[in-house]
């Protein structure tokens, strides 16, 4: 007799496949990107250090012909000091002179998709870099 799982079991086992996977790419950093989960067929190394991004949605006022800035924040876990090395500008040969105003692209897809099928969902420039309160991650703000 074949196993016939109920709807709750099926939903729980398929939840991981339905959860979106995000990765962020810094302009000028071609050696690695940072993601929330592994990315299939990735052309660039994806370090799983990204927490799920937050954003404040953009508001469009058609009547007045104005739009607000879209604000996206994301955090990178500082495992083995890797993010500290990325943001440290006092080193003799820093990765970046500064991260402020550096273009960043946020991509989204699903675990069963290849990297080429991911879509850019956010693009902006870094306006702020700060350590989180617990000191375990670095928070970036894009506008």
């Amino acid at each position: 007799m074949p196993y016939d799982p109920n709807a709750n079991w099926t939903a729980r086992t398929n939840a991981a496949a339905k959860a979106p996977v995000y990765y962020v790419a810094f302009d000028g950093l071609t050696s690695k990107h940072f993601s929330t989960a592994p990315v299939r067929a990735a052309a660039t190394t994806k370090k799983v250090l990204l927490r799920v991004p937050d954003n404040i949605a953009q508001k469009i006022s058609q009547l007045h012909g104005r739009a607000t800035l879209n604000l996206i924040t994301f955090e990178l876990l500082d495992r083995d000091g890797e993010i500290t090395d990325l943001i440290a500008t006092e080193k003799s040969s820093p990765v970046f002179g500064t991260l402020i105003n550096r273009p960043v692209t946020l991509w989204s897809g699903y675990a069963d998709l290849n990297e080429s099928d991911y879509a850019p969902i956010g693009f902006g420039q870094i306006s702020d870099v700060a350590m989180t309160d617990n000191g375990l991650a670095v928070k970036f703000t894009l506008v």
Side-chain angles (χ1 to χ4, degrees):
M1 178 184 263
Y3 179 65
D4 187 18
N6 62 24
N8 289 336
W9 183 88
T10 304
R12 297 279 283 198
T13 56
N14 289 335
K18 303 262 187 260
V21 175
Y22 300 96
Y23 78 85
V24 65
F26 289 85
D27 188 40
L29 184 64
T30 57
S31 60
K32 60 189 163 196
H33 297 152
F34 303 99
S35 66
T36 56
V39 177
R40 287 182 49 192
T44 304
T45 302
K46 303 291 187 275
K47 299 278 190 160
V48 183
L49 300 176
L50 177 66
R51 291 184 178 165
V52 175
D54 296 326
N55 76 344
I56 298 171
Q58 185 176 24
K59 294 182 181 182
I60 299 172
S61 173
Q62 294 178 336
L63 185 60
H64 298 99
R66 290 186 291 216
T68 61
L69 288 175
N70 187 12
L71 182 68
I72 299 172
T73 60
F74 64 91
E75 293 179 7
L76 295 175
L77 297 173
D78 194 19
R79 186 181 64 206
D80 298 331
E82 191 165 355
I83 306 306
T84 301
D85 287 344
L86 183 68
I87 65 172
T89 58
E90 293 82 19
K91 296 184 341 183
S92 59
S93 58
V95 178
F96 297 120
T98 182
L99 283 172
I100 303 300
N101 293 330
R102 179 159 301 281
V104 174
T105 305
L106 180 65
W107 299 79
S108 179
Y110 292 96
D112 58 342
L113 296 176
N114 291 334
E115 181 186 22
S116 60
D117 296 325
Y118 279 51
I121 60 165
F123 178 80
Q125 293 180 328
I126 296 173
S127 66
D128 189 36
V129 178
M131 291 295 289
T132 57
D133 292 337
N134 58 13
L136 298 176
V138 179
K139 183 176 184 176
F140 297 86
T141 304
L142 300 180
V143 292

